[in-house]
Amino acid sequence: PKGSNSAGPALPAEIAAMLSRATAALADVEKGVQHISQTEGDLAGLRAQVEEVLDSTTEVGEKLRPQLAAVKSQIDKLGPAPGKDGPAEAFDVAAERGRLMALAATYDGAIKTSELTWVRARQLIERITVLRHALFAKNLMERQPSPLTPSVWRENASNATNVQHQFIAWAQ
């Protein structure tokens, strides 16, 4: 039919790009978290990236929900499609109904994708938090040399000389 698009209506380029970036960023962070040998700084950086994904997916949802509501309102104004036994709908009305239904499905799909990405991001933040706590506990319980042992004092004394030389060089 005239005006039909077999692939369905496309999302606005800005929205599609935001969803694509959010999904790709989340996949990168998930790969990073799988390598558990991260440091606290690495995990904090990964968490910041995930928080950006949360922000962008929330923004996508906020942009698309009103658009979806407007499209659904237009569909409601057209009324129910005629039954098989009823008179045929005008071609223009049927084409518009099809276009609006496809657009609503596209928007709904994008909203669901953003919501799913948001949920995955929240779960990933929880995993990162657990890893950070585990890393903190590991570092807290790690055996360090006692400050009462002579070897620690010798090491500090030798480092003090180096620090003193660095300060003198810096002051000049």
Side-chain angles (χ1 to χ4, degrees):
K2 178 180 161 187
S4 72
N5 184 352
S6 61
L11 281 173
E14 174 190 357
I15 300 295
M18 287 175 72
L19 277 176
S20 178
R21 282 192 305 270
T23 303
L26 194 61
D28 289 344
V29 172
E30 285 175 330
K31 288 177 189 171
V33 170
Q34 287 176 354
H35 304 311
I36 299 179
S37 63
Q38 304 290 329
T39 65
E40 172 65 25
D42 292 339
L43 290 173
L46 292 175
R47 182 184 172 115
Q49 289 177 356
V50 175
E51 287 173 351
E52 289 175 14
V53 169
L54 285 174
D55 292 342
S56 66
T57 54
T58 300
E59 184 180 341
V60 167
E62 288 173 353
K63 284 182 178 182
L64 289 181
R65 280 186 191 88
Q67 294 177 11
L68 177 60
V71 169
K72 285 183 175 181
S73 174
Q74 292 174 30
I75 292 170
D76 290 344
K77 293 292 179 197
L78 289 175
K84 293 182 181 181
D85 298 337
E89 192 168 46
F91 176 76
D92 291 343
V93 174
E96 183 64 8
R97 182 184 308 280
R99 185 188 74 78
L100 290 172
M101 294 295 281
L103 188 58
T106 299
Y107 286 164
D108 189 52
I111 289 169
K112 287 178 181 174
T113 298
S114 73
E115 289 172 347
L116 177 63
T117 303
W118 188 91
V119 167
R120 285 179 50 214
R122 287 297 318 156
Q123 291 170 342
L124 191 53
I125 282 179
E126 290 173 17
R127 281 180 41 206
I128 290 171
T129 301
V130 167
L131 288 172
R132 289 177 78 183
H133 287 147
L135 184 60
F136 175 76
K138 176 185 162 221
N139 290 340
L140 189 61
M141 299 300 170
E142 189 175 290
R143 284 189 80 87
Q144 297 290 331
S146 169
L148 301 176
T149 60
S151 62
V152 170
W153 287 99
R154 278 192 294 270
E155 184 181 337
N156 286 340
S158 68
N159 288 341
T161 306
N162 292 336
V163 170
Q164 180 182 17
H165 291 305
Q166 290 175 354
F167 273 123
I168 292 171
W170 177 73
Q172 295 175 353

